[in-house]
């Protein structure tokens, strides 16, 4: 469904109230990171399994790749991935959360459908494009977001596209949480790259600009705004009471 943009409840002012300057303490004890050789193997594996060698390589973006792609592309279009949906379903103890106050990150999980953006990648250096993408999308072992070829429907017919989907075997997989529970986390959590509220605002804003309306995310952004306002009222009440 598309139409003219609606007024969003969550604002940059809300995000500013959640943001905190947080130092990056690194991967943490026991964390195992992917090596260059691991990334090289992932790149080789996905190129070998390309479902249509010789045809344009497409990338399906559903979240931050829409508003911060960081890769070259020659064109883009809107597509629908059936059998997948975007959802805040894995915990972040770094980047947009901390071990003391974990955040939640959005992923593409099984079930439902997801309208997103398809990028056509330039065909002259797919290996380098994949190497850059994979280093951006997953850091730890096992990976949370795993590269996978999926089918995406477009106005001109179905295409195969590379997507990053949730690895349910990850110890950080949170499963399906209520929107209210997710909102409580996003209204508080922040890491060294920013807050979950900022991530949500950027995603909803850029989806809306493309006429892509995700009912759950739209409801979620309103809930996060409410939570931030409620938290601030509680803080102010405590300050007055202790004055």
């Amino acid at each position: 469904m598309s139409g003219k943009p609606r007024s969003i409840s969550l604002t940059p002012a809300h995000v500013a109230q959640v943001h905190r300057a947080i130092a990056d303490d690194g991967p943490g004890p026991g964390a195992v990171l992917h090596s260059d050789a691991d990334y090289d193997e992932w790149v080789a594996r996905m190129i070998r399994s390309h479902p249509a060698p010789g045809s344009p390589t497409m990338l399906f973006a559903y979240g931050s790749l829409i508003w911060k792609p960081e890769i070259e592309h020659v064109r883009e279009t809107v597509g629908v991935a059936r059998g997948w949906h975007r959802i805040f379903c894995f915990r972040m103890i770094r980047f947009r959360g901390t071990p003391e106050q974990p955040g939640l990150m959005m992923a593409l999980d099984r079930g439902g459908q997801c309208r997103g953006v398809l990028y056509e990648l330039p065909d002259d250096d797919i290996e380098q494009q994949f190497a850059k993408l994979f280093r951006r999308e997953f850091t730890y072992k096992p990976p949370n977001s795993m590269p996978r070829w999926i089918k995406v429907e477009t106005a001109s017919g179905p295409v195969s596209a590379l997507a990053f989907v949730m690895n349910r075997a990850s110890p950080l997989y949170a499963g399906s949480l209520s929107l209210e529970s997710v909102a409580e986390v996003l209204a508080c959590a922040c890491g060294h790259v920013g807050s979950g509220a900022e991530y949500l605002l950027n995603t909803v804003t850029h989806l809306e600009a493309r006429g892509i309306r995700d009912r759950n995310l739209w409801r979620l952004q309103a809930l996060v705004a409410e939570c931030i306002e409620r938290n601030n009222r509680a803080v102010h009440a405590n300050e007055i009471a202790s004055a």
Side-chain angles (χ1 to χ4, degrees):
M1 177 181 178
S2 62
K4 58 183 181 179
R6 302 165 288 182
S7 296
I8 189 169
S9 301
L10 185 63
T11 67
H14 289 108
V15 170
Q17 292 167 27
V18 180
H19 180 78
R20 301 181 298 280
I22 293 177
D24 180 15
D25 291 331
V32 181
L33 306 182
H34 283 82
S35 66
D36 288 340
D38 293 326
Y39 285 118
D40 289 345
E41 173 53 32
W42 273 109
V43 169
R45 184 185 314 172
M46 298 313 296
I47 289 177
R48 286 196 306 267
S49 61
H50 196 303
S55 64
T57 298
M58 309 297 291
L59 172 68
F60 182 71
Y62 57 87
S64 62
L65 279 171
I66 295 175
W67 47 269
K68 194 177 180 182
E70 294 182 355
I71 56 165
E72 296 179 14
H73 56 281
V74 297
R75 69 179 181 91
E76 66 176 70
T77 188
V78 172
V80 179
R82 302 197 187 277
W84 301 95
H85 67 292
R86 59 171 70 82
I87 180 175
F88 283 87
C89 66
F90 78 85
R91 293 184 177 85
M92 297 290 291
I93 56 176
R94 193 183 174 199
F95 303 110
R96 293 188 184 272
T98 63
E100 298 75 24
Q101 191 169 54
L104 284 166
M105 183 60 72
M106 194 165 61
L108 199 62
D109 203 7
R110 294 198 295 267
Q113 66 179 36
C114 178
R115 187 176 296 273
V117 176
L118 274 170
Y119 295 120
E120 181 181 332
L121 304 184
D123 59 8
D124 57 345
D125 196 1
I126 293 298
E127 290 86 354
Q128 185 59 35
Q129 293 272 36
F130 279 12
K132 186 174 182 178
L133 274 171
F134 295 175
R135 282 170 172 80
R136 166 198 163 112
E137 292 296 319
F138 54 93
T139 303
Y140 299 95
K141 292 184 177 181
N144 294 304
S145 296
M146 298 181 64
R148 172 172 173 161
W149 296 104
I150 66 172
K151 286 291 185 183
V152 180
E153 297 178 8
T154 73
S156 57
V159 300
S160 295
L162 179 71
F164 293 93
V165 306
M166 185 66 214
N167 176 14
R168 290 188 170 186
S170 167
L172 296 178
Y173 179 54
S176 181
L177 303 171
S178 70
L179 291 180
E180 291 77 11
S181 297
V182 174
E184 291 288 349
V185 173
L186 298 184
C188 299
C190 186
H192 70 278
V193 304
S195 67
E198 176 191 39
Y199 177 94
L200 175 62
L201 176 60
N202 282 335
T203 302
V204 173
T205 299
H206 283 77
L207 287 173
E208 188 73 7
R210 288 171 167 80
I212 300 174
R213 296 189 172 176
D214 184 307
R215 289 178 297 175
N216 284 336
L217 288 192
W218 193 259
R219 174 60 179 151
L220 181 59
Q221 62 84 22
L223 289 172
V224 172
E226 292 172 7
C227 286
I228 293 172
E229 292 168 4
R230 185 169 61 248
N231 291 345
N232 285 333
R233 287 195 298 268
V235 169
H236 292 155
N238 289 336
E239 290 174 348
I240 293 172
S242 59

